[in-house]
Amino acid sequence: MTAAARLDGGPVDRYLDEMFDLLSGTGADGRRLLTEAEEHLAEAAAEGRSRGLDAEAAEREAVQRFGAAAAVARRVPATAGPVRVSLRRLATVAWALTGLALTWFGLSGALTWLLSGPWTRLLIATDRFGGHPMCEGPWMPPFPIDCVEAYRQDVALLPGVGNDFPYQLVGGLGVALVVALLILRRITALGAPSWTPSRTVPGLVFAVLFGLTGVALLIEAIDGVFKEVQYYVVADLVAGLLAVTIGAVVVRRSRIVQGGQPTAC
Amino acid sequence: MDIRGHLDLLLLSVLDDAGPVHGYAVITALRDRSDGAFDLPEGTVYPALQRLERAGLVASHWDETSARRRRVYRLTDDGRRARAAKKQEWRGIVLGVQAVIGPMTAGRPA
């Protein structure tokens, strides 16, 4: 089968168009892959037709066996150099980091708010309210629910922000940004190597900063326990553990694989 | 069967045994010789061949003599040595795993 025998606008044509977009910024390697893909698909479709498939079915089968265009294209390294490629990668990094940071901040606040009730009851049960004005020990509160609610109003979710901050909204926005990026990278040119930063450098910088933030928050939480200023302990514990977890996951995903070739995020 | 991490050895072996061949023939040989055991997106073989070429294990050139323009791949001397080393490494893994799970009998571990 020659390229001319391809169905106009058929599965192979559409696949090659998609791959052309995805290979933007990959230079000679990308052009070579596109040529090889075209020849491969032509040969595979011809083989399918020789087995009795109609042209459309043969092309569909050839494309299916070749694999998702994004999965194939992301294995071709982008050519270094052009400012445009650097800006694209920077945009991807900014998108991913913004999504992760918002997710962390929003989830930390929302989880802290959810945990502040049980946390307050634990403090009451263990008589560890310390100097809280409403709850001096030994503690036998006449209106325990009021005290719990009052304490929750004082829970500092994250430094500098009150508990009327729309944490769920921020967390939801962060998750939406991360999920949207993952989906778009699968189905659009955002999955192309020219949009894909090396995992190693920005990933490790982000992971180290996030991990250190988490460790600092955990230290502050432990310090708070000893100083009996528990109003920020739960917030620090939640935010610190989330930050350390996110940092660890990013470090793990930033490993260099396949003989030193960084893979796509 | 997931062959991530072992694709290099498979490609080097096919090229060593089949001699200079184009990508489609490499994929066909891989499928035929494995009796279809590997569920491999065929398109991923081309970037893998390019990667092996950048590593100096494979060399290639365009073949313009046939009706279709094809890239023909062949193993280099370094590729042959890498194949031997990877093969040895793989045999070590197989022996180690078999020592743990027991020898294969009638298609399943004894």
Side-chain angles (χ1 to χ4, degrees), chain A residues 1-2 15 28-30 32-33 35-37 39-40 42-47 62 65-68 71-72 75-77 258 261, chain B residues 4-5 7-8 22-24 27-28 31 40-44 46-51 53-54 60 62 68-73:
Chain A
M1 182 182 182
T2 63
Y15 185 88
D29 284 345
R32 179 169 139 189
L33 176 64
T35 304
E36 290 192 287
E39 294 304 330
H40 177 107
E43 196 153 354
E47 186 189 295
R65 279 182 11 204
F66 202 74
V72 176
R75 289 163 200 262
V76 182
Q258 295 273 339
Q261 175 69 43
Chain B
R4 276 176 298 183
L7 184 58
D8 288 4
H22 52 84
Y24 192 83
I27 292 163
T28 307
R31 192 170 57 224
L40 176 72
E42 294 173 351
T44 59
Y46 293 99
L49 287 168
Q50 287 189 7
R51 181 165 44 76
E53 188 170 350
R54 281 193 297 276
S60 71
W62 287 111
R68 196 169 284 143
R69 190 168 180 247
R70 288 163 156 171
R71 192 87 183 174
V72 174
Y73 296 88

Side-chain angles (χ1 to χ4, degrees), chain A residues 7-103:
Chain A
L7 290 173
D8 269 349
V12 168
D13 258 5
R14 290 197 298 273
Y15 185 88
L16 291 173
D17 284 348
E18 184 186 356
M19 184 162 272
F20 178 81
D21 291 339
L22 288 169
L23 289 171
S24 147
T26 56
D29 284 345
R31 287 195 298 277
R32 179 169 139 189
L33 176 64
L34 199 62
T35 304
E36 290 192 287
E38 184 174 4
E39 294 304 330
H40 177 107
L41 291 170
E43 196 153 354
E47 186 189 295
R49 285 203 315 278
S50 72
R51 284 187 280 110
L53 294 176
D54 64 50
E56 172 90 14
E59 288 199 3
R60 232 182 359 252
E61 184 193 70
V63 163
Q64 190 184 9
R65 279 182 11 204
F66 202 74
V72 176
R74 76 163 52 105
R75 289 163 200 262
V76 182
T79 48
V83 174
R84 200 168 52 172
V85 171
S86 300
L87 288 175
R88 286 175 176 180
R89 289 174 170 175
L90 192 63
T92 305
V93 170
W95 185 337
L97 296 191
T98 303
L100 276 177
L102 289 179
T103 302

Side-chain angles (χ1 to χ4, degrees), chain B residues 8-46:
Chain B
D8 288 4
L9 173 59
L10 297 172
L11 294 178
L12 293 174
S13 298
V14 167
L15 287 174
D16 201 12
D17 297 343
V21 284
H22 52 84
Y24 192 83
V26 171
I27 292 163
T28 307
L30 203 56
R31 192 170 57 224
D32 292 347
R33 289 171 59 174
S34 69
D35 210 12
F38 301 139
D39 183 18
L40 176 72
E42 294 173 351
T44 59
V45 166
Y46 293 99

